Amino acid sequence: MSEQPNGAPAEGQGAPAPAPQTPQQQPSEKNAAPAKDKPAEKSGEKKLTGAELKAKAKADKAARRAQVKDRKEVSKAEAAVSSSPQQLGPAASEVKGKKGKDGAAAGQGGRPLLPKTVPSAVITEQKVQIPECFSHLSMAKRIPMTQADKDVHPSVLALGQQMATFSIDESIARLKATLLAFKRVIQSYTTPPGHTLARHFTPHVLNPQIEYLTACRPMCFSMGNAIRWLKLQVSKIDMDASEEDAKRDLCLAIDTFVAERITVADEVITEAGSKLIRDGEVILTYGRSSIVERTILLAQAAGTKFSVFVVDDPYERQGQQLAKVLSAEGIQVSYCGDFGGLTNHMRRTTKVLVSAEAMFSNGSLYARAGTCDVALAANELHKQVVVLCETINITERVSTDSLTYNEIDPERGQAGAFRLLFDTTPDKYLQLLVTELGTVQPRSAPDLLRKLEEFN
Amino acid sequence: MDKFLDSLKGRPVDASIDYLVSLLKRRQIQGSESCALATAHILLQVVARDKWSDVNQLLERVQTVGRKLVAASPRELTIGNVVRRILGLIRDEAQEDRNDANNDGSSDVLPEPPHSAPLKLDSPPGKPIRPTMASALGSLTRTQSMFNILADPDVAPSFLLDGTPAASSGASTPLAHGLATNASALRSEVLDGIEEIMDEIKQVDDQLCGYSDIVIHPGDYVLVHKPSRTVQRFLTRSKRRFTVLVVTDPATVTAEDPYAILRKSLAANGSTLINVMNTGLMAYMTRVNKVILSARAITATGGITVDAGAAAVARAARASGRTVIVLGGVYKLSPDTQANQDLATEWGDPSRYVNFSDGAMVNNVRVKNAVSEYVPAELIDTYITNLGAHSRDHLHSIITDHYKDAEVSLDLYGKIRK
């Protein structure tokens, strides 16, 4: 923080940036304007910790300012969006603050994934059209690579695009890809002279990556957990250690983390989950989840005779993929594209198997929208609902309804077509939580968290 | 539907019946209102153009046609409802005629009690009561015993019938004597009655709309599932400013707004419409104040048949303690019960979500797609019909007002259900 005085002039420079925009603003946009300015100021303070960054920033600023003019409408709206509760742990609060800046700087987002369905004139207004009652929720957006922050590492850049287009979708897949990308970032990092890795890496190299990823798609809880862990590891690095050693240690730590919390965890969970499937059972699952798929396949490989009922989300239809994979393995599969006749299906079912996007510490499940309805129908007929979840997905936050934390489908974020991606299932509708630390009652999720803390 | 109505004139009655049966079987006529109207039209033809000399013959004929239609689309309860209503109508008219004929001296007919008026109590002000129905009540000699009201509708109370012929035979004797002469008078009266039933069906939407301001409060978030024309009109009629969440049909996802017209007319009142593209609605229930469903049919126990997917909505609403309101004309209220929920679900076209060209799915996976399903009575709070808002317990008395016991116990389904 000794650089703070140096930062002051840069901040002064930063201030005019929004100024030239204001005269051009339409009167109708007044409301949005303050929302935009606030995060911009905040971010100004934040990034001034490095002196040489200031020089860079100066050079960039002129170019960026020109761009900013063009996309101010969009960025304003984005700033409004980014004021929504972020899906990060509280420890990552500095990321939160910066995210506002990212929304403003990275600009030109909000291009819908299906541009042909929405007339181009609508694009700039699109964000404003999020129905007011849901405006606090966040939404993934496509940021053209050319407008990403210059500090973003190429591998992170690619990952961001994959996340924004939902080609990497599941929480655990996103986590794994993020950690591997960060490993690359670490490998290609060299500490500037006069700095130490422990002090310099997180604010100047890691945070821009995180901001970019968050801007592409709001972070999932597991990413928040892992990033907090990673920052802790960086801060723990011995000041006197050589850069090579430090980088090697960090990469090793990431590898171990991926192996322990993801790879082995998945093995343990699929193993435990497949043992819950008994001969003659009918397993109902909702949508497609890779861990549920592997669990079912493992049970089949173990020689259990059972059948599967796939209920699908008609807007995603990923369950068809699952149905094909399972039936190709010789499992008897039934498929239903929506919730029509759900009670009928449930009556023939013996067990419901779903995977978690995240678990809250009050035992409620955060998963694909519709999971709660399935669990409710199961509960009505007293069928067991089993949740598969890696412990990295457990967050210490609490949510009692589905509108506290959620994400809006970027393709359907207006009144004309609106869709939430997740919902929250209260623990009373769930019977079992299968994690790598054991199979417990969902209500015991916080106990698992405590256990994890003891390990570390 | 229009095509069917056009074809009625040119064809012999039997051909029209077969045509309608095939239309119903192919679900080319579907939806409760169309089915009800088509049934009324075809029975109108039967009464008007068939040769019949006495009431029993006519009753028999109507029952046979009714069974055919019901068998063609057994889950459209409104078909059975209309058939029953018309049977009741014929019996009433016949009995009236007989009363007139036997008025001097014969003692087998009980004196006509003064019009009992449960029907009037429910009717909204200004709504004309069907005169035939009112007189039906009058001439209906059976008093409403406590037992009757409490009787389980699942058990057909055929032994209770006093005066009216028991059960489904229809070959009743008391009506037989001396009616042939009145055939033509009876015919025209019955035809008038059927026209009235058709008018009643057509007017339901307008009458329902009158209740929208009572149901919808300013600032409400109202959730509707694939709103039918009835529900859409109900919503637009409200002068309040509220938000409508519309659960859209996922199979018809298009670029343009499927409810653009509704949105426009709602916007005129300052209300907003949001198309919700989720199948699971639990996520929204914290926001929603009430759920409005339109019934395809309402059964005697209070359960309703609805478009597939609405049951999940109702369940979610109930689990979150939200009000579930059902809209439907009285003609949808059926004396039938759907004792077996599994059978109440109608399965249909599997290609809705799965493409037939998708070999892996078509060959190996059993694809199911529900068209309509059953919502049990426990999930529903209020029913709004053209006669007003009712609680579940009150449905019984509406049924007894509209259907005679002979019709209630009439088994139109034969072996379909068993």
Side-chain angles (χ1 to χ4, degrees), chain B residues 336-349:
Chain B
D336 278 318
T337 51
Q338 296 276 27
N340 188 340
Q341 278 195 36
D342 261 11
L343 292 182
T345 309
E346 179 172 345
W347 304 100
D349 180 15

Side-chain angles (χ1 to χ4, degrees), chain B residues 37-48:
Chain B
L37 284 176
T39 311
H41 274 290
I42 200 85
L43 291 179
L44 187 80
Q45 298 294 317
V46 169
V47 174

Side-chain angles (χ1 to χ4, degrees), chain B residues 33 75 79 118 138 160 179 182 235-236 282 292 298 309 369 395:
Chain B
E33 190 181 340
R75 287 181 186 84
I79 299 176
L160 275 174
L179 284 175
N182 290 336
L235 293 173
T236 43
M282 268 310 256
I292 298 180
I298 306 170
N369 175 40
L395 293 176

Side-chain angles (χ1 to χ4, degrees), chain A residues 162-207:
Chain A
Q162 283 170 314
M163 283 193 193
T165 51
F166 288 75
S167 53
I168 296 185
D169 186 15
E170 283 183 357
S171 151
I172 211 78
R174 288 173 69 192
L175 169 67
K176 196 171 173 180
T178 309
L179 285 175
L180 293 180
F182 284 173
K183 206 172 106 184
R184 291 251 178 78
V185 175
I186 293 169
Q187 279 161 350
S188 62
Y189 169 80
T190 33
T191 317
H195 288 275
T196 56
L197 189 144
R199 287 287 177 82
H200 181 266
F201 181 72
T202 302
H204 297 289
V205 180
L206 194 55
N207 282 351

Side-chain angles (χ1 to χ4, degrees), chain B residues 347-401:
Chain B
W347 304 100
D349 180 15
S351 69
R352 206 167 130 86
Y353 300 117
V354 178
N355 201 322
F356 270 115
S357 63
D358 192 344
M361 286 297 281
V362 175
N363 289 337
N364 304 326
V365 179
R366 210 167 58 112
V367 180
K368 300 201 89 179
N369 175 40
V371 176
S372 71
E373 60 186 336
Y374 181 77
V375 179
E378 308 88 78
L379 302 182
I380 297 159
D381 293 285
T382 312
Y383 305 83
I384 298 182
T385 69
N386 44 333
L387 299 183
H390 315 284
S391 66
R392 190 187 320 155
D393 309 318
H394 188 54
L395 293 176
H396 266 289
S397 55
I398 303 176
I399 291 173
T400 36
D401 288 348

Side-chain angles (χ1 to χ4, degrees), chain A residues 404-425:
Chain A
T404 314
Y405 305 104
N406 216 319
E407 218 183 305
I408 300 166
D409 186 341
E411 287 177 56
R412 303 186 178 94
Q414 313 158 60
F418 187 83
R419 194 170 113 86
L420 292 175
L421 291 178
F422 299 104
D423 69 6
T424 304
T425 312

